[in-house]
Amino acid sequence: MTTIRFLNGLNTIGGNIVEFATKTSRVIMDFGVAADLSQETVTSAIDQGKLPNVPELFLDQPDPFTDEAIFISHLHIDHMGALQYLQKDIPIYLSEPSYRLYRLLIQLGIEKPVANLHPLAFETPLAVGDLTVTGFHSDHDEPGVMALLVDDGSRRFAHSGDVRLNGPHADRVHAWAKRFKEEKVSLLMLEGTSFSFDTPIPVEDQDHPSVPLTEMSLQTKFQQLLVDSSQLVVINPYNRNYERLAAFQASAHVSGRQMVWEPNEAAILATMTGTQPDAILGQTIQLADIAQQPQHYVLQNSFANLASLSGLPISAYVHSNGEPLGDYDPRFAQLKDWLADHQIPLVFMNASGHAAREDLIELVKEVNPRVVVPWHSFHPEREADAIDAQTNADVLLPEKDLYYDFDPLTEEE
């Protein structure tokens, strides 16, 4: 018999963690955080629910499982940020692209070192004791993202990870949805980020950090901005979306400009996409060179280096899912105030990594699971109501840390 325990993330965006266990075997899917732990001890973070209730992985306590592993769907902090607190040497599996990215981020000092990392090839089952896990390439704004399937020999359980259908790789999503349907999954855990908000974000709301562009329309808009700009254009992108980094450089070329990268982003671009950076700030080009011919360049700038823009002739500062992400981060107000003080126009070009509400319902219909757990949302009950009204699946809004049993299939099933 397999038990399922939801360890976190039932009514938050991120931090969603689930455990599948038999008497001897356990797999945990995702291991992120949805809260600031900088002032917490591990014990207090567990007590307050900021870390999952698995003290045997964080502290010197007995662990009853002989075979276990953690599987990470993708490299966003809300899905992998708790890994740095592990004390037990438990195997951690990521997709091959995410594994390469994680190692690079550690090398660059962006992420803290984590032991026992392993790549998991797509669609290659891995046995962990009584359980078998298979990862499937998906689409999100971290290109190595996986959807995951757990097989206990009798039933299959599916984890969507973060997912979208309006991205460049929707075919991957439809492919795993078809496979999950063929496997007759008993349970689908489905993200519900888009149900968190009262209304969809209007395109014209340029003061919101998540303007609903697609990856494709974002580049079209960016190219037009470059045409309309007579001086330097600065971009602040999310550096883990390395496909978008490469697309920005290609768009700069269409407009007859060169991309100038900070060293970390240049390393990510080259390592993860094979695209050679046009120029690297402080190495092959200096700010003084850019200032002489600003109309010839696009400059990538991270928030930590915002002050370096002083004195440059800038037509626009493009915020593209880079940090700080939004109003909940105090640095976001600092960013806006600094740009306003220097009379630099702020332009939002963000593309969401999350599916629209109607696309989530479409995924449920494609997979046709027996039961759906909506989570990764401030309002999972909204997604539950929509799934209940528009699909044949049963809906479960689970309670945290309770054990849910799934008995073997009967012949009738």
Side-chain angles (χ1 to χ4, degrees):
M1 181 180 68
T2 300
T3 61
I4 299 178
R5 182 166 59 127
F6 295 88
L7 298 169
N8 245 343
L10 294 178
N11 56 5
T12 61
I13 295 180
N16 50 325
I17 305 172
V18 63
E19 171 196 89
F20 301 86
T22 66
K23 285 185 177 180
T24 61
S25 310
R26 170 170 69 176
V27 297
I28 295 174
M29 299 212 155
D30 281 340
F31 214 67
V33 293
D36 181 12
L37 304 184
S38 60
Q39 305 300 317
E40 301 282 352
T41 65
V42 166
T43 302
S44 67
I46 294 173
D47 290 343
Q48 296 179 53
K50 296 179 180 180
L51 284 176
N53 186 22
V54 283
E56 66 275 13
L57 299 184
F58 298 114
L59 305 168
D60 185 16
Q61 294 188 7
D63 187 338
F65 298 101
T66 55
D67 297 284
E68 59 184 340
I70 295 173
F71 292 81
I72 302 298
S73 66
H74 65 288
L75 284 185
H76 284 172
I77 190 169
D78 56 326
H79 294 263
M80 43 70 70
L83 292 176
Q84 62 182 286
Y85 301 101
L86 286 170
Q87 293 299 311
K88 183 177 175 61
D89 192 26
I90 182 172
I92 301 162
Y93 291 92
L94 311 91
S95 73
E96 289 179 321
S98 292
Y99 171 79
R100 289 192 292 118
L101 178 59
Y102 203 178
R103 288 181 57 124
L104 177 60
L105 295 175
I106 292 171
Q107 176 186 331
L108 295 173
I110 296 173
E111 285 291 346
K112 294 181 179 180
V114 173
N116 216 343
L117 297 174
H118 303 273
L120 177 68
F122 294 120
E123 300 188 46
T124 303
L126 177 71
V128 181
D130 300 328
L131 304 169
T132 301
V133 179
T134 308
F136 298 84
H137 212 175
S138 190
D139 192 21
H140 183 46
D141 54 359
E142 194 274 85
V145 66
M146 291 191 294
L148 292 154
L149 185 69
V150 181
D151 189 335
D152 68 358
S154 176
R155 294 185 186 271
R156 269 68 60 198
F157 313 105
H159 175 24
S160 74
D162 287 359
V163 63
R164 62 184 175 187
L165 279 176
N166 69 350
H169 306 296
D171 57 317
R172 297 173 182 169
V173 182
H174 293 301
W176 62 247
K178 179 181 178 182
R179 174 68 179 274
F180 289 178
K181 181 178 181 179
E182 293 169 352
E183 295 286 351
K184 299 180 179 179
V185 298
S186 297
L187 177 68
L188 171 64
M189 290 155 288
L190 182 64
E191 73 128 301
T193 306
S194 57
F195 284 90
S196 294
F197 310 103
D198 293 334
T199 58
I201 301 164
V203 173
E204 63 274 10
D205 183 5
Q206 292 297 308
D207 196 39
H208 196 289
S210 299
V211 176
L213 296 169
T214 66
E215 297 290 346
M216 297 74 81
S217 64
L218 187 157
Q219 294 303 322
T220 299
K221 185 176 180 180
F222 182 61
Q223 290 175 23
Q224 186 60 53
L225 175 68
L226 295 181
V227 170
D228 296 339
S229 299
S230 60
Q231 301 290 344
L232 177 67
V233 172
V234 178
I235 63 169
N236 178 2
Y238 183 53
N239 59 17
R240 301 190 191 198
N241 189 347
Y242 44 84
E243 289 185 346
R244 192 186 299 176
L245 299 186
F248 273 132
Q249 181 159 292
S251 290
H253 294 173
V254 169
S255 304
R257 295 180 182 238
Q258 277 195 311
M259 274 293 315
V260 180
W261 301 96
E262 294 178 351
N264 282 350
E265 282 67 25
I268 293 171
L269 176 70
T271 302
M272 298 307 301
T273 74
T275 301
Q276 291 306 305
D278 289 341
I280 302 175
L281 190 63
Q283 297 180 18
T284 61
I285 194 170
Q286 306 298 325
L287 288 173
D289 302 320
I290 299 171
Q292 290 179 7
Q293 294 182 307
Q295 72 278 11
H296 290 171
Y297 298 102
V298 175
L299 173 63
Q300 176 261 316
N301 176 261
S302 57
F303 178 77
N305 297 322
L306 185 63
S308 68
L309 302 179
S310 296
L312 291 174
I314 298 173
S315 291
Y317 181 100
V318 177
H319 189 279
S320 186
N321 296 101
E323 292 189 357
L325 297 177
D327 291 329
Y328 57 86
D329 187 333
R331 298 175 302 163
F332 195 71
Q334 297 172 23
L335 170 66
K336 292 195 291 185
D337 290 344
W338 191 94
L339 294 173
D341 289 343
H342 290 77
Q343 298 182 327
I344 300 174
L346 173 59
V347 179
F348 293 104
M349 292 190 189
N350 301 295
S352 176
H354 301 281
R357 296 180 183 188
E358 59 271 19
D359 290 338
L360 292 170
I361 300 303
E362 176 60 28
L363 275 177
V364 175
K365 292 178 179 178
E366 288 188 38
V367 174
N368 192 32
R370 292 181 60 189
V371 179
V372 178
V373 167
W375 63 345
H376 199 281
S377 174
F378 294 136
H379 292 287
E381 73 282 356
R382 295 175 179 172
E383 185 178 14
D385 290 343
I387 291 169
D388 187 53
Q390 299 179 54
T391 78
N392 295 322
D394 292 329
V395 180
L396 172 65
L397 290 173
E399 293 185 43
K400 182 178 175 180
D401 282 334
L402 288 187
Y403 290 89
Y404 292 83
D405 296 342
F406 280 77
D407 296 322
L409 287 168
T410 65
E411 292 184 3
E412 291 76 11
E413 291 179 299

